[in-house]
Amino acid sequence: MGILGGCGDDGGSLPATDPVTVTGDEACTGDAGVTTRSCRRGYVSTRCACAPVPLDDVTVRRVPCAELPVNGAPRTPEDDACDAAGGSEPDLTCVTTRPTAGESQLVTLVGVVDLVGAGPDTDGLTVEIDGLDAVGTSSVASSCAETRSVYRSGEVVAERRLGFFVLEEVPTETDLVVHTSGSGGLWRDVWSYGVRIANEDVVAAAPAGACDALAALGPYAVVDVKTISAATYLELPRQGALGITRDDAGLLAGEVRDCAGVRLEHAEVGTWPAPAAMLYDGDDPDELRLRRGHDEGTGLTGNFVAFDLPAGPVDVTAVGRLGSAVTSLGGTRVRVRAGALTTVTLEGLQPQ
């Protein structure tokens, strides 16, 4: 069920052979007068989109740290959003009950610009928050820039420098949309949804031994953001033997997590409108290798990519099987831009 076919009321949709009730679902409120979607056979309407019904014998679970490829360093919950306990049941408390947001404060947002897949050093890219005046530029010359290894089949094939950026006066406890862009034809724009700074993640002052760029800051929070090279953007459809993506459409990539921020394996993801195809990433967080026809949903990375979505609002949702029940893992609405990558983290309901 890894590939999503058409899902809608365009004459090609079929009713499911057995109606499926999604635990933790909520009525669709994406369009005036619409409370559900008409989905094709094998899909279920949930949170404004059509998601594949999970297989009966495949249970959604937290990604165990011990099952991730080591690639030079042990995997940890802090760095890899994995489960140290080893594949326990997801925390879904925020899927049906929206958490209460804390009081917002203005802080400095810092981080590095990481790559989706392969590409050159992330130097000189513009990083900004949609709707705010906060704008910065990534620099590999910064003392806080990082070096990451590029892996292929478990072997290091290159090293990449990730540029460091600083954004002033960014609000905490607020849903943010981060936009990265570059010049010279090397990059495609990336719009990242689901970015949020919790008050508990704010650092009052840089610790001893911190890089120079942090030492001069007041309260700050660290959030790494994503960019994608033009070459990788065009390569992704070829990984799934899909041909070239349309110029008037965009890509949507993301990951599924539980309410504690742990990545989930065996989640099924759907969108409305439906994509040309839905592919799931493999099991190595350091190497992007998309799988066509992944029958068990997300792999150990919890990642997915939806292809050729029309520009405009897109509802995205995820479900998983817990015991005999098909359970909602959350959903949200994003905006896809033509020729650009949109990213999202599905993590239940955001606080408000």
Side-chain angles (χ1 to χ4, degrees):
M1 300 299 294
I3 297 296
L4 296 190
C7 167
D9 54 2
D10 56 0
S13 61
L14 295 172
T17 51
D18 298 304
V20 175
T21 299
V22 178
T23 303
D25 193 19
E26 62 180 12
C28 175
T29 56
D31 301 300
V34 175
T35 58
T36 188
R37 300 296 192 188
S38 176
C39 302
R40 67 180 300 178
R41 188 186 305 274
Y43 291 74
V44 60
S45 176
T46 172
R47 295 182 185 262
C48 298
C50 294
V53 178
L55 299 179
D56 290 342
D57 58 349
V58 177
T59 300
V60 66
R61 65 168 186 163
R62 288 176 158 186
V63 170
C65 295
E67 293 185 18
L68 291 170
V70 174
N71 290 348
R75 301 294 183 172
T76 66
E78 295 76 18
D79 293 335
D80 301 287
C82 54
D83 182 21
S88 57
E89 188 171 297
D91 175 0
L92 301 180
T93 53
C94 69
V95 172
T96 55
T97 303
R98 189 182 296 274
T100 301
E103 184 176 352
S104 182
Q105 58 179 309
L106 294 179
V107 299
T108 301
L109 176 64
V110 301
V112 296
V113 180
D114 201 356
L115 286 161
V116 175
D121 295 346
T122 59
D123 190 39
L125 282 90
T126 299
V127 182
E128 54 193 323
I129 306 294
D130 190 36
L132 300 179
D133 293 331
V135 180
T137 302
S138 64
S139 172
V140 298
S142 169
S143 60
C144 295
E146 298 180 11
T147 300
R148 300 267 174 93
S149 297
V150 179
Y151 286 85
R152 185 171 300 150
S153 300
E155 299 292 331
V156 177
V157 296
E159 301 287 344
R160 291 288 180 267
R161 291 286 287 167
L162 305 183
F164 181 77
F165 68 90
V166 177
L167 300 180
E168 302 285 353
E169 297 190 332
V170 178
T172 66
E173 302 291 339
T174 304
D175 292 334
L176 304 173
V177 180
V178 179
H179 176 209
T180 62
S181 58
S183 59
L186 289 176
W187 309 99
R188 291 294 183 104
D189 285 21
V190 176
W191 299 80
S192 297
Y193 289 76
V195 179
R196 191 180 186 92
I197 305 169
N199 283 335
E200 63 188 37
D201 295 329
V202 175
V203 180
C211 54
D212 293 342
L214 288 182
L217 297 178
Y220 69 90
V222 180
V223 176
D224 293 342
V225 301
K226 292 290 188 179
T227 189
I228 189 169
S229 70
T232 298
Y233 185 90
L234 296 176
E235 169 63 23
L236 289 180
R238 289 194 282 268
Q239 284 198 25
L242 301 175
I244 302 298
T245 191
R246 303 197 325 261
D247 290 337
D248 62 344
L251 303 185
L252 171 65
E255 64 182 51
V256 185
R257 298 188 178 193
D258 72 0
C259 298
V262 181
R263 289 174 175 171
L264 297 181
E265 184 186 25
H266 304 320
E268 294 283 4
V269 181
T271 68
W272 184 281
M278 177 75 75
L279 302 186
Y280 295 104
D281 194 6
D283 296 331
D284 190 341
D286 296 320
E287 186 174 355
L288 182 61
R289 302 183 72 177
L290 298 179
R291 297 179 178 183
R292 185 179 176 91
H294 194 314
D295 290 334
E296 298 183 354
T298 52
L300 293 179
T301 64
N303 291 343
F304 62 90
V305 182
F307 290 86
D308 277 1
L309 285 165
V314 172
D315 293 303
V316 55
T317 188
V319 296
R321 188 173 292 279
L322 287 174
S324 61
V326 176
T327 300
S328 174
L329 304 176
T332 191
R333 171 168 282 199
V334 300
R335 177 170 292 277
V336 169
R337 279 85 172 175
L341 173 67
T342 300
T343 73
V344 64
T345 300
L346 293 179
E347 198 171 351
L349 296 171
Q350 294 288 0
Q352 69 175 16

